[in-house]
Amino acid sequence: MTQQDNVWRRIAAGIGRPLLAIALALAIGLVIISIAGEDPIESYRALIGGAFVGRSNIENTLVRSIPVIASGLAVAVAFACGMFNMGVEGQLYLGAFAAAWIGFSIKGVPPLLHVLLAIGLSAAVGAAWAYLPAIARIKWGTSEIVTTMMLNYVAQYFTSYLVSFPFKEPGDLQQTPAIFSSAELYELSAASRLHVGLLLVVVFAAIIAFLLKRTALGYEIRMTGLSPSVSRASGINTDRTAIRAMLISGAIGGIAGAIEILGVHHRFINNFSPGYGWDGLAVSLLAKGNPIGILLSGIFYGGLQSGANIMEFATDVPKQLIDSLRAIIILFVAADFTGLKLLKAKPKLPSGSGQSGRKEVKTCGRNV
Amino acid sequence: MAGTFNLSLLVAAIRLTTPILLAALGGLFTQQANVLNIALEGMMLSGAFTAVAVSFFTHSWVMAILASVLVGLIMAWILGAFVVRFKALNVIAGMAVNLFASGFTAFLLRTIWTNKSEMTQGLVGIPDVVIPGLCNVPVLGELLSGYSFLVYISIVLVFVAQFVLYKTKLGLRIRAVGETPQAAASLGVDPDRIRLTSILISGALCGLAGAHLSLGALCMFTENMTAGRGFMAMAVIFFGDADPYKVAIGAFLFGLAEAISMRLQSVGLPSHFIIMIPYVFTVVSLIVVSINKMKAQTRKSSES
């Protein structure tokens, strides 16, 4: 009984904070919409209705959320190990191109095998792209935050080159030829293009949850993330663990791109991602890296996206307002307002302890 | 013919350098204070929008520049409050600032103006500075005269940054907090305060960078017009190890790469690899710097 109470309390604590942040952001949005001279109630009705009411709206929301959830899972694995994979966007682009390439260049492969080949290569490419920053971090202490972020641009420009020159489909558009139908993911609904990738990300979330909570590797990843020194003392090879976590993270990042290409676009399109990798970071944060939470927050994010389109259509409120509200949600979830109390009690603390509440000494770029 | 091509390429490179340089000069202060600031992009974008909006309503480019700096400061203050006071991870808070700036400026753009010509009609841009006497000298005139006002300011600011960082009490404190916050604290310096100050400096300069971009270079605002320049500035800071002179050189290399890639694009050649080079170079130099640091450390520990 008490154990059950604990579980519920933990769930409430996990959900309470994000919900509060969401409510706060929506309240701020309400004020902004009113100042802009629009009807906030009408706008929010369109937003929420457009996201979660009616079959086609729900399907659109889910389509939107698939790559975000996958990216979120990628971020979560690295984060569990105390590493920041800011390079999911780049891994996603490379994985997407790899999947498209398998899709359009190999003919006559049985459907399931074709999809598996494409996803396999994208995972390998994504992992390889994450390997360099991981190795540089472990061997020489180079901040992986900065290197992964810079490599995003390299990946994006590289795929952009591939799709503009060697693999460009004849015509005006910067896109590759379409993939063969054997490489397409099974479509669940023709109208919204909802595809079986939805089930895939659910399975992936379950696998990641199992990996982190129930396997030896997962235990080592989490221990390394909590305290590298304690982990080392207890015999965990933290270097190897961190590299494995980054490889898994990069592989999922690559798969996220593959799923989007094989499921929705059916070809690689230049700059196709509106920042799924970054959304994944936000979603992962909102869920505190919990895979099941990432499913929920990913769907919420997808809902905000597709709902914003409906809202813009139904009222005169530009959909970008929702991006601002998303930013406010992230900010409030990331903040630790217990710091407010700390501030009052501050004179008692040694003044150098400002950093100590932070989990993140290693992000400090210059000295690493 | 080839000569003029090169000269105009250089001029284009200098124009493209300025926004990156201004943002990087701001960001190097946070870097010196050991605060990873990924919000340069967002603060710059806010400044760019503010410059256009204020110029539109007041018809004064001076007011526009001042307002951009102010808005840059406000964004930086919000970021600083969340990072320093509320202990948000600076990467996350910075990302939120970027996302907010991108969303909110686009929202305001669509709310205030119905179309582009309505906006550009009322705008007063930042004037170009023609250096009397020099502008008639054949090569030097073209190379040195006729840039937008803030181009010159940015060059002056390189030296100002160098001075502030290495010759003033504030600069000393920023570097001290960046290197060993505990030692700085034991000498009565509040590290949090210094961190916040460095973030504010970066905000002001990013505001300036934005104003140059929207009102100095183009005289209009478009959605997400910073287009990753804030991240280029970040790369430049790492490239130049947060030293003003080296950062200026790095910013110019980025500007040059951008100028060359634009040329290549205009004749239909692949420009992707040229624009990629600065990023690759940043990653490589980061790794080299950390290898050297590690070697120095092991040497030190083996000596003692």
Side-chain angles (χ1 to χ4, degrees), chain A residues 142 153 336 354 360 364 366, chain B residues 34 86-87 90 231 290 293:
Chain A
T142 318
Y153 291 95
D336 178 6
E360 185 215 11
C364 319
R366 211 170 64 88
Chain B
N34 215 347
F86 303 138
K87 306 295 171 213
N90 46 13
F231 290 105
S290 44
K293 264 181 193 153

Side-chain angles (χ1 to χ4, degrees), chain A residues 86 139-140 142 146 149-150 153 158 160 281 285 312 320 324 327 334-336 346 354-355 360 364 366-367, chain B residues 31 34 86-88 90-92 95-96 100 103-104 106 110 178 192 195 231 238 272 290-291 293-294:
Chain A
M86 307 286 283
K139 276 196 125 156
W140 308 300
T142 318
V146 184
M149 216 146 76
M150 296 298 139
Y153 291 95
F158 183 61
S160 179
L281 195 66
L285 173 77
E312 185 176 66
Q320 283 84 0
S324 336
D336 178 6
K346 205 164 184 191
Q355 280 288 66
E360 185 215 11
C364 319
R366 211 170 64 88
N367 287 342
Chain B
Q31 190 65 20
N34 215 347
F86 303 138
K87 306 295 171 213
N90 46 13
V91 176
I92 306 284
M95 194 186 76
F100 178 80
F104 204 60
R110 291 176 177 216
D192 281 353
R195 289 190 188 107
F231 290 105
F238 283 100
H272 306 83
S290 44
I291 289 175
K293 264 181 193 153
M294 186 157 270

Side-chain angles (χ1 to χ4, degrees), chain B residues 150-227:
Chain B
L150 287 176
V151 173
Y152 299 101
I153 295 291
S154 72
I155 294 166
V156 173
L157 283 174
V158 173
F159 298 102
V160 174
Q162 178 79 11
F163 179 80
V164 171
L165 207 50
Y166 295 107
K167 295 273 187 283
T168 65
K169 205 192 265 177
L170 177 67
L172 179 66
R173 286 180 173 174
I174 288 176
R175 286 182 296 128
V177 167
E179 241 157 68
T180 41
Q182 289 84 355
S186 71
L187 294 172
V189 176
D190 180 359
D192 281 353
R193 210 188 179 84
I194 295 295
R195 289 190 188 107
L196 187 61
T197 310
S198 72
I199 296 174
L200 287 175
I201 295 173
S202 75
L205 284 167
C206 284
L208 214 53
H212 171 75
L213 206 56
S214 66
L215 218 51
L218 279 174
C219 219
M220 63 189 260
F221 180 86
T222 54
E223 272 176 45
N224 283 324
M225 74 181 300
T226 43

Side-chain angles (χ1 to χ4, degrees), chain A residues 32-33 36 79 84 86 132 136 138-143 145-147 149-151 153-161 164-165 174 270 278-279 281-282 285 301 312 316-321 323-328 330-332 334-337 339-340 342-343 346 351-355 357-361 363-368, chain B residues 31-36 38 41 78 82-97 99-107 110-111 175 178-182 185-186 189-192 195 223 227-228 231-232 234-235 238 241-242 268-273 275-276 279-280 282-283 286-291 293-294 297:
Chain A
I32 296 172
I33 295 172
F79 196 68
F84 270 94
M86 307 286 283
L132 175 75
I138 297 305
K139 276 196 125 156
W140 308 300
T142 318
S143 164
I145 299 182
V146 184
T147 48
M149 216 146 76
M150 296 298 139
L151 288 176
Y153 291 95
V154 179
Q156 210 167 330
Y157 285 122
F158 183 61
T159 56
S160 179
Y161 164 75
S164 309
F165 292 94
Q174 286 182 324
N270 195 20
W278 300 107
D279 287 350
L281 195 66
L285 173 77
Y301 243 62
E312 185 176 66
D316 272 337
V317 180
K319 66 179 176 194
Q320 283 84 0
L321 176 70
D323 292 335
S324 336
L325 300 189
R326 275 165 48 193
I328 294 172
I330 297 172
L331 210 49
F332 282 125
D336 178 6
F337 289 110
L340 278 179
L342 245 168
L343 209 64
K346 205 164 184 191
S351 43
S353 69
Q355 280 288 66
R358 248 177 286 199
K359 201 181 161 187
E360 185 215 11
V361 189
T363 58
C364 319
R366 211 170 64 88
N367 287 342
V368 288
Chain B
Q31 190 65 20
Q32 290 279 5
N34 215 347
V35 176
L36 182 68
I38 72 164
E41 177 88 2
I78 294 172
F82 273 87
V83 170
V84 174
R85 291 268 181 268
F86 303 138
K87 306 295 171 213
L89 294 179
N90 46 13
V91 176
I92 306 284
M95 194 186 76
V97 166
L99 183 59
F100 178 80
S102 145
F104 204 60
T105 52
F107 167 77
R110 291 176 177 216
T111 311
R175 286 182 296 128
E179 241 157 68
T180 41
Q182 289 84 355
S186 71
V189 176
D190 180 359
D192 281 353
R195 289 190 188 107
E223 272 176 45
F231 290 105
M232 282 191 193
M234 250 187 86
F238 283 100
D241 205 17
L269 284 171
S271 59
H272 306 83
F273 292 100
I275 198 88
M276 225 188 260
Y279 294 107
V280 175
T282 304
V283 172
L286 269 176
I287 292 176
V288 169
V289 165
S290 44
I291 289 175
K293 264 181 193 153
M294 186 157 270
Q297 254 168 20

Side-chain angles (χ1 to χ4, degrees), chain A:
Chain A
M1 187 68 191
T2 45
Q3 208 176 0
Q4 220 168 13
D5 276 357
N6 267 337
V7 170
W8 283 113
R9 199 172 300 152
R10 263 174 45 211
I11 290 175
I15 294 179
R17 184 97 169 276
L19 282 184
L20 205 66
I22 291 166
L24 208 60
L26 287 177
I28 292 173
L30 200 114
V31 175
I32 296 172
I33 295 172
S34 308
I35 294 173
E38 300 290 333
D39 182 355
I41 305 300
E42 192 57 39
S43 308
Y44 278 167
R45 188 177 291 158
L47 174 73
I48 292 162
F52 302 112
V53 178
R55 189 179 156 181
S56 76
N57 285 344
I58 292 175
E59 283 178 2
N60 278 326
T61 292
L62 292 175
V63 171
R64 277 264 182 185
S65 64
I66 292 168
V68 178
I69 292 170
S71 306
L73 292 171
V75 174
V77 176
F79 196 68
C81 198
M83 305 272 274
F84 270 94
N85 182 1
M86 307 286 283
V88 175
E89 186 77 0
Q91 291 140 16
L92 181 136
Y93 266 105
L94 289 174
F97 191 88
W101 181 72
I102 294 276
F104 67 71
S105 64
I106 308 178
K107 205 178 174 181
V109 189
L112 187 62
L113 184 65
H114 207 171
V115 171
L116 284 178
L117 271 178
I119 288 183
L121 185 67
S122 68
V125 167
W129 200 242
Y131 184 66
L132 175 75
I135 272 290
R137 169 68 204 286
I138 297 305
K139 276 196 125 156
W140 308 300
T142 318
S143 164
E144 84 283 7
I145 299 182
V146 184
T147 48
T148 51
M149 216 146 76
M150 296 298 139
L151 288 176
N152 280 339
Y153 291 95
V154 179
Q156 210 167 330
Y157 285 122
F158 183 61
T159 56
S160 179
Y161 164 75
L162 291 176
V163 73
S164 309
F165 292 94
F167 295 101
K168 185 172 179 296
E169 185 189 50
D172 292 334
L173 299 172
Q174 286 182 324
Q175 56 183 27
T176 63
I179 59 175
F180 293 109
S181 58
S182 54
E184 289 174 11
L185 289 178
Y186 180 70
E187 210 164 62
L188 299 173
S189 153
S192 65
R193 288 190 151 180
L194 182 63
H195 54 90
V196 80
L198 178 66
L199 300 180
L200 278 179
V201 292
V202 173
V203 170
F204 274 121
I207 292 175
I208 300 295
F210 181 80
L211 172 88
L212 287 178
K213 292 273 164 66
R214 294 268 182 273
T215 65
L217 177 62
Y219 173 77
E220 289 178 1
I221 287 178
R222 283 186 298 126
M223 282 308 288
T224 305
L226 284 174
S227 167
S229 51
V230 172
S231 308
R232 258 193 300 272
S234 61
I236 294 174
N237 185 338
T238 51
D239 289 355
R240 200 180 59 194
T241 307
I243 288 176
R244 284 183 180 171
M246 274 300 267
L247 286 178
I248 296 171
S249 176
I252 303 171
I255 292 172
I259 291 177
E260 184 69 1
I261 294 301
L262 304 180
V264 178
H265 303 295
H266 297 161
R267 53 161 44 102
F268 185 90
I269 301 169
N270 195 20
N271 294 330
F272 73 96
S273 163
Y276 291 132
W278 300 107
D279 287 350
L281 195 66
V283 158
S284 189
L285 173 77
L286 212 56
K288 284 188 183 151
N290 178 316
I292 309 304
I294 289 172
L295 279 180
L296 293 176
S297 59
I299 291 170
F300 171 72
Y301 243 62
L304 280 187
Q305 286 287 338
S306 59
N309 288 331
I310 305 281
M311 180 189 75
E312 185 176 66
F313 190 69
T315 67
D316 272 337
V317 180
K319 66 179 176 194
Q320 283 84 0
L321 176 70
I322 303 305
D323 292 335
S324 336
L325 300 189
R326 275 165 48 193
I328 294 172
I329 295 172
I330 297 172
L331 210 49
F332 282 125
V333 171
D336 178 6
F337 289 110
T338 52
L340 278 179
K341 284 173 209 152
L342 245 168
L343 209 64
K344 284 173 198 155
K346 205 164 184 191
K348 288 177 201 162
L349 295 165
S351 43
S353 69
Q355 280 288 66
S356 63
R358 248 177 286 199
K359 201 181 161 187
E360 185 215 11
V361 189
K362 65 177 168 15
T363 58
C364 319
R366 211 170 64 88
N367 287 342
V368 288

Side-chain angles (χ1 to χ4, degrees), chain B residues 138-149:
Chain B
V139 176
L140 281 181
E142 198 185 333
L143 195 61
L144 300 177
S145 173
Y147 297 104
S148 171
F149 176 61

